[in-house]
Amino acid sequence: MTRLLLFAITFLLLSGCNDESLYSGLDEVEANEIIALLSNAGIISYKTQNSDEKYTVATNRNNFADAIDLLKTNGYPKNRFESLGDVFKKEGFVSSPLEERARLNYAQSQELSRTIESIDGVILARVHLAIPKDNKLESEVKPSSASVFIKHRRGIDLSDRESQIKALLVNSISGLPYENVTVAMFTSNPIPINRKRNETEGSNLTIVSGVKKDYLILGMTILILFLSTITVFLIFRNRKQNNQLQISNGNT
């Protein structure tokens, strides 16, 4: 009986160490989207809330590599774009005109990338701007140019959106001709997931998708303390019985 209880305690301690964190610093919406995506692929995962109100998504160690590949293919976690307010924060020192121009170009590319990524089917978007410096001494003004990289989900046709994307950039960047905008689209290659293998491994998980791990850790701790108390009680009781048996044998 004592050995069985010790084995149960060891199993509980080891089962809690069989998980790996996938990503941290996520908001709840993105954490739920990641869990849903993994669940559809047969990979069980769960989220935990951190002290900073952000979330961490974790899964079984055996599914870690497949989960990372699947999330990367589908563009998770989402890019954190900086807004114009983030780029142009007032922080003391005066910037040079060259620095201000570079920051403006960067902020515009961030805003446009964020907008394009919000299009249904787009996984990843990057906007690269080439805006020449204004030179009043030159009679001929060099036109601006832009290139857009888009990675989209397989089965999604965005070819009819190309003209709209170009128009979006032309109307956002001053002096950018329509013909100077290049849009390159690439299809994401899905990574095959062994659904049967992952469902088998997922069934051995001690934590169910979507359940907060904190409560499970608390319950596991209470169970371990309870089993430890029973184990100690049985050990002392056996020793007491042995001592009484030895005393009775000595008296006889």
mmCIF file of all heavy atoms in Angstrom, residues 135-161:
data_model
loop_
_atom_site.group_PDB
_atom_site.id
_atom_site.type_symbol
_atom_site.label_atom_id
_atom_site.label_comp_id
_atom_site.label_asym_id
_atom_site.label_seq_id
_atom_site.Cartn_x
_atom_site.Cartn_y
_atom_site.Cartn_z
ATOM 1 N N ASN A 135 14.235 67.332 -52.820
ATOM 2 C CA ASN A 135 15.378 68.194 -53.128
ATOM 3 C C ASN A 135 14.880 69.334 -54.026
ATOM 4 O O ASN A 135 14.582 69.139 -55.213
ATOM 5 C CB ASN A 135 16.482 67.398 -53.820
ATOM 6 C CG ASN A 135 17.772 68.187 -53.912
ATOM 7 O OD1 ASN A 135 17.795 69.420 -53.734
ATOM 8 N ND2 ASN A 135 18.866 67.484 -54.200
ATOM 9 N N LYS A 136 14.773 70.502 -53.453
ATOM 10 C CA LYS A 136 14.231 71.647 -54.179
ATOM 11 C C LYS A 136 15.165 72.130 -55.284
ATOM 12 O O LYS A 136 14.752 72.895 -56.158
ATOM 13 C CB LYS A 136 13.937 72.775 -53.208
ATOM 14 C CG LYS A 136 12.865 72.414 -52.184
ATOM 15 C CD LYS A 136 12.602 73.561 -51.234
ATOM 16 C CE LYS A 136 11.527 73.190 -50.214
ATOM 17 N NZ LYS A 136 11.252 74.305 -49.271
ATOM 18 N N LEU A 137 16.443 71.705 -55.222
ATOM 19 C CA LEU A 137 17.393 72.130 -56.241
ATOM 20 C C LEU A 137 17.243 71.337 -57.532
ATOM 21 O O LEU A 137 17.718 71.760 -58.585
ATOM 22 C CB LEU A 137 18.826 71.996 -55.709
ATOM 23 C CG LEU A 137 19.164 72.840 -54.473
ATOM 24 C CD1 LEU A 137 20.595 72.585 -54.024
ATOM 25 C CD2 LEU A 137 18.950 74.336 -54.775
ATOM 26 N N GLU A 138 16.620 70.177 -57.455
ATOM 27 C CA GLU A 138 16.442 69.362 -58.645
ATOM 28 C C GLU A 138 15.118 69.723 -59.309
ATOM 29 O O GLU A 138 14.079 69.859 -58.657
ATOM 30 C CB GLU A 138 16.458 67.875 -58.284
ATOM 31 C CG GLU A 138 17.805 67.396 -57.767
ATOM 32 C CD GLU A 138 17.794 65.904 -57.471
ATOM 33 O OE1 GLU A 138 16.719 65.274 -57.649
ATOM 34 O OE2 GLU A 138 18.837 65.370 -57.069
ATOM 35 N N SER A 139 15.161 69.850 -60.626
ATOM 36 C CA SER A 139 13.961 70.226 -61.374
ATOM 37 C C SER A 139 12.999 69.051 -61.516
ATOM 38 O O SER A 139 11.781 69.225 -61.548
ATOM 39 C CB SER A 139 14.350 70.747 -62.768
ATOM 40 O OG SER A 139 15.096 69.754 -63.471
ATOM 41 N N GLU A 140 13.557 67.853 -61.600
ATOM 42 C CA GLU A 140 12.732 66.663 -61.783
ATOM 43 C C GLU A 140 12.604 65.913 -60.453
ATOM 44 O O GLU A 140 13.618 65.541 -59.841
ATOM 45 C CB GLU A 140 13.340 65.744 -62.842
ATOM 46 C CG GLU A 140 12.482 64.522 -63.147
ATOM 47 C CD GLU A 140 13.115 63.647 -64.214
ATOM 48 O OE1 GLU A 140 14.145 64.060 -64.791
ATOM 49 O OE2 GLU A 140 12.571 62.561 -64.476
ATOM 50 N N VAL A 141 11.401 65.714 -60.012
ATOM 51 C CA VAL A 141 11.140 65.015 -58.754
ATOM 52 C C VAL A 141 11.088 63.510 -59.012
ATOM 53 O O VAL A 141 10.341 63.045 -59.885
ATOM 54 C CB VAL A 141 9.817 65.487 -58.126
ATOM 55 C CG1 VAL A 141 9.555 64.732 -56.829
ATOM 56 C CG2 VAL A 141 9.868 66.984 -57.880
ATOM 57 N N LYS A 142 11.892 62.777 -58.264
ATOM 58 C CA LYS A 142 11.904 61.325 -58.407
ATOM 59 C C LYS A 142 10.646 60.734 -57.769
ATOM 60 O O LYS A 142 10.302 61.078 -56.630
ATOM 61 C CB LYS A 142 13.148 60.741 -57.738
ATOM 62 C CG LYS A 142 14.448 61.155 -58.398
ATOM 63 C CD LYS A 142 15.635 60.517 -57.687
ATOM 64 C CE LYS A 142 16.942 60.933 -58.350
ATOM 65 N NZ LYS A 142 18.123 60.335 -57.651
ATOM 66 N N PRO A 143 9.958 59.839 -58.474
ATOM 67 C CA PRO A 143 8.722 59.256 -57.907
ATOM 68 C C PRO A 143 9.031 58.216 -56.828
ATOM 69 O O PRO A 143 10.099 57.594 -56.829
ATOM 70 C CB PRO A 143 8.057 58.606 -59.124
ATOM 71 C CG PRO A 143 9.203 58.259 -60.029
ATOM 72 C CD PRO A 143 10.229 59.351 -59.841
ATOM 73 N N SER A 144 8.108 58.057 -55.924
ATOM 74 C CA SER A 144 8.237 57.031 -54.881
ATOM 75 C C SER A 144 7.864 55.668 -55.462
ATOM 76 O O SER A 144 7.248 55.564 -56.536
ATOM 77 C CB SER A 144 7.312 57.363 -53.707
ATOM 78 O OG SER A 144 7.605 58.635 -53.165
ATOM 79 N N SER A 145 8.233 54.619 -54.741
ATOM 80 C CA SER A 145 7.878 53.258 -55.148
ATOM 81 C C SER A 145 7.603 52.426 -53.895
ATOM 82 O O SER A 145 8.011 52.794 -52.789
ATOM 83 C CB SER A 145 8.996 52.615 -55.983
ATOM 84 O OG SER A 145 10.191 52.531 -55.222
ATOM 85 N N ALA A 146 6.917 51.334 -54.102
ATOM 86 C CA ALA A 146 6.563 50.476 -52.967
ATOM 87 C C ALA A 146 6.442 49.035 -53.437
ATOM 88 O O ALA A 146 6.063 48.764 -54.583
ATOM 89 C CB ALA A 146 5.255 50.929 -52.327
ATOM 90 N N SER A 147 6.785 48.126 -52.539
ATOM 91 C CA SER A 147 6.614 46.699 -52.816
ATOM 92 C C SER A 147 5.898 46.062 -51.633
ATOM 93 O O SER A 147 6.154 46.401 -50.478
ATOM 94 C CB SER A 147 7.967 46.011 -53.052
ATOM 95 O OG SER A 147 8.808 46.162 -51.921
ATOM 96 N N VAL A 148 4.997 45.153 -51.948
ATOM 97 C CA VAL A 148 4.170 44.509 -50.932
ATOM 98 C C VAL A 148 4.375 43.001 -51.011
ATOM 99 O O VAL A 148 4.225 42.398 -52.087
ATOM 100 C CB VAL A 148 2.679 44.854 -51.116
ATOM 101 C CG1 VAL A 148 1.847 44.208 -50.000
ATOM 102 C CG2 VAL A 148 2.469 46.356 -51.151
ATOM 103 N N PHE A 149 4.712 42.412 -49.895
ATOM 104 C CA PHE A 149 4.833 40.954 -49.786
ATOM 105 C C PHE A 149 3.624 40.444 -49.010
ATOM 106 O O PHE A 149 3.314 40.936 -47.918
ATOM 107 C CB PHE A 149 6.117 40.569 -49.061
ATOM 108 C CG PHE A 149 6.133 39.144 -48.573
ATOM 109 C CD1 PHE A 149 6.501 38.111 -49.418
ATOM 110 C CD2 PHE A 149 5.768 38.831 -47.265
ATOM 111 C CE1 PHE A 149 6.507 36.796 -48.968
ATOM 112 C CE2 PHE A 149 5.780 37.532 -46.807
ATOM 113 C CZ PHE A 149 6.142 36.500 -47.668
ATOM 114 N N ILE A 150 2.935 39.441 -49.582
ATOM 115 C CA ILE A 150 1.751 38.872 -48.937
ATOM 116 C C ILE A 150 1.866 37.354 -48.940
ATOM 117 O O ILE A 150 2.100 36.725 -49.979
ATOM 118 C CB ILE A 150 0.451 39.294 -49.667
ATOM 119 C CG1 ILE A 150 0.246 40.805 -49.550
ATOM 120 C CG2 ILE A 150 -0.748 38.543 -49.082
ATOM 121 C CD1 ILE A 150 -0.979 41.296 -50.308
ATOM 122 N N LYS A 151 1.685 36.783 -47.777
ATOM 123 C CA LYS A 151 1.594 35.326 -47.641
ATOM 124 C C LYS A 151 0.166 35.001 -47.224
ATOM 125 O O LYS A 151 -0.324 35.503 -46.210
ATOM 126 C CB LYS A 151 2.580 34.828 -46.578
ATOM 127 C CG LYS A 151 2.561 33.321 -46.361
ATOM 128 C CD LYS A 151 3.568 32.943 -45.284
ATOM 129 C CE LYS A 151 3.563 31.449 -45.025
ATOM 130 N NZ LYS A 151 4.527 31.074 -43.941
ATOM 131 N N HIS A 152 -0.524 34.184 -48.030
ATOM 132 C CA HIS A 152 -1.931 33.926 -47.761
ATOM 133 C C HIS A 152 -2.195 32.436 -47.635
ATOM 134 O O HIS A 152 -1.367 31.597 -48.027
ATOM 135 C CB HIS A 152 -2.807 34.541 -48.860
ATOM 136 C CG HIS A 152 -2.552 33.983 -50.229
ATOM 137 N ND1 HIS A 152 -3.163 32.862 -50.718
ATOM 138 C CD2 HIS A 152 -1.720 34.422 -51.222
ATOM 139 C CE1 HIS A 152 -2.740 32.608 -51.941
ATOM 140 N NE2 HIS A 152 -1.860 33.545 -52.274
ATOM 141 N N ARG A 153 -3.342 32.107 -47.100
ATOM 142 C CA ARG A 153 -3.722 30.722 -46.886
ATOM 143 C C ARG A 153 -3.982 30.014 -48.212
ATOM 144 O O ARG A 153 -4.440 30.621 -49.167
ATOM 145 C CB ARG A 153 -4.974 30.630 -46.005
ATOM 146 C CG ARG A 153 -4.743 31.037 -44.570
ATOM 147 C CD ARG A 153 -5.970 30.750 -43.712
ATOM 148 N NE ARG A 153 -5.705 31.069 -42.319
ATOM 149 C CZ ARG A 153 -5.907 32.252 -41.769
ATOM 150 N NH1 ARG A 153 -6.388 33.243 -42.521
ATOM 151 N NH2 ARG A 153 -5.639 32.475 -40.499
ATOM 152 N N ARG A 154 -3.684 28.748 -48.243
ATOM 153 C CA ARG A 154 -3.946 27.949 -49.437
ATOM 154 C C ARG A 154 -5.456 27.856 -49.664
ATOM 155 O O ARG A 154 -6.239 27.707 -48.728
ATOM 156 C CB ARG A 154 -3.349 26.551 -49.260
ATOM 157 C CG ARG A 154 -3.560 25.618 -50.447
ATOM 158 C CD ARG A 154 -2.768 24.348 -50.261
ATOM 159 N NE ARG A 154 -1.337 24.607 -50.341
ATOM 160 C CZ ARG A 154 -0.642 24.688 -51.463
ATOM 161 N NH1 ARG A 154 -1.251 24.535 -52.632
ATOM 162 N NH2 ARG A 154 0.660 24.900 -51.433
ATOM 163 N N GLY A 155 -5.844 27.955 -50.917
ATOM 164 C CA GLY A 155 -7.263 27.912 -51.251
ATOM 165 C C GLY A 155 -7.923 29.275 -51.281
ATOM 166 O O GLY A 155 -9.103 29.386 -51.620
ATOM 167 N N ILE A 156 -7.188 30.318 -50.903
ATOM 168 C CA ILE A 156 -7.705 31.687 -50.928
ATOM 169 C C ILE A 156 -7.116 32.413 -52.140
ATOM 170 O O ILE A 156 -5.892 32.506 -52.282
ATOM 171 C CB ILE A 156 -7.344 32.452 -49.644
ATOM 172 C CG1 ILE A 156 -7.915 31.726 -48.426
ATOM 173 C CG2 ILE A 156 -7.865 33.878 -49.707
ATOM 174 C CD1 ILE A 156 -9.417 31.676 -48.377
ATOM 175 N N ASP A 157 -7.980 32.907 -53.020
ATOM 176 C CA ASP A 157 -7.543 33.628 -54.219
ATOM 177 C C ASP A 157 -7.642 35.133 -53.958
ATOM 178 O O ASP A 157 -8.734 35.680 -53.813
ATOM 179 C CB ASP A 157 -8.404 33.230 -55.417
ATOM 180 C CG ASP A 157 -7.895 33.855 -56.712
ATOM 181 O OD1 ASP A 157 -6.772 34.396 -56.709
ATOM 182 O OD2 ASP A 157 -8.635 33.802 -57.721
ATOM 183 N N LEU A 158 -6.476 35.788 -53.897
ATOM 184 C CA LEU A 158 -6.432 37.225 -53.651
ATOM 185 C C LEU A 158 -6.061 38.025 -54.902
ATOM 186 O O LEU A 158 -5.778 39.217 -54.809
ATOM 187 C CB LEU A 158 -5.415 37.533 -52.542
ATOM 188 C CG LEU A 158 -5.733 36.979 -51.148
ATOM 189 C CD1 LEU A 158 -4.602 37.319 -50.186
ATOM 190 C CD2 LEU A 158 -7.058 37.521 -50.628
ATOM 191 N N SER A 159 -6.058 37.363 -56.054
ATOM 192 C CA SER A 159 -5.651 38.062 -57.276
ATOM 193 C C SER A 159 -6.588 39.225 -57.608
ATOM 194 O O SER A 159 -6.155 40.244 -58.151
ATOM 195 C CB SER A 159 -5.606 37.072 -58.440
ATOM 196 O OG SER A 159 -6.873 36.447 -58.627
ATOM 197 N N ASP A 160 -7.876 39.090 -57.255
ATOM 198 C CA ASP A 160 -8.806 40.167 -57.543
ATOM 199 C C ASP A 160 -8.665 41.334 -56.564
ATOM 200 O O ASP A 160 -9.271 42.392 -56.753
ATOM 201 C CB ASP A 160 -10.244 39.641 -57.520
ATOM 202 C CG ASP A 160 -10.607 39.019 -56.184
ATOM 203 O OD1 ASP A 160 -9.683 38.606 -55.451
ATOM 204 O OD2 ASP A 160 -11.810 38.938 -55.867
ATOM 205 N N ARG A 161 -7.859 41.130 -55.512
ATOM 206 C CA ARG A 161 -7.636 42.189 -54.536
ATOM 207 C C ARG A 161 -6.374 43.007 -54.828
ATOM 208 O O ARG A 161 -6.107 43.990 -54.151
ATOM 209 C CB ARG A 161 -7.499 41.583 -53.133
ATOM 210 C CG ARG A 161 -8.717 40.820 -52.648
ATOM 211 C CD ARG A 161 -9.871 41.747 -52.364
ATOM 212 N NE ARG A 161 -11.028 41.069 -51.824
ATOM 213 C CZ ARG A 161 -11.245 40.876 -50.526
ATOM 214 N NH1 ARG A 161 -10.356 41.311 -49.652
ATOM 215 N NH2 ARG A 161 -12.319 40.248 -50.115
#
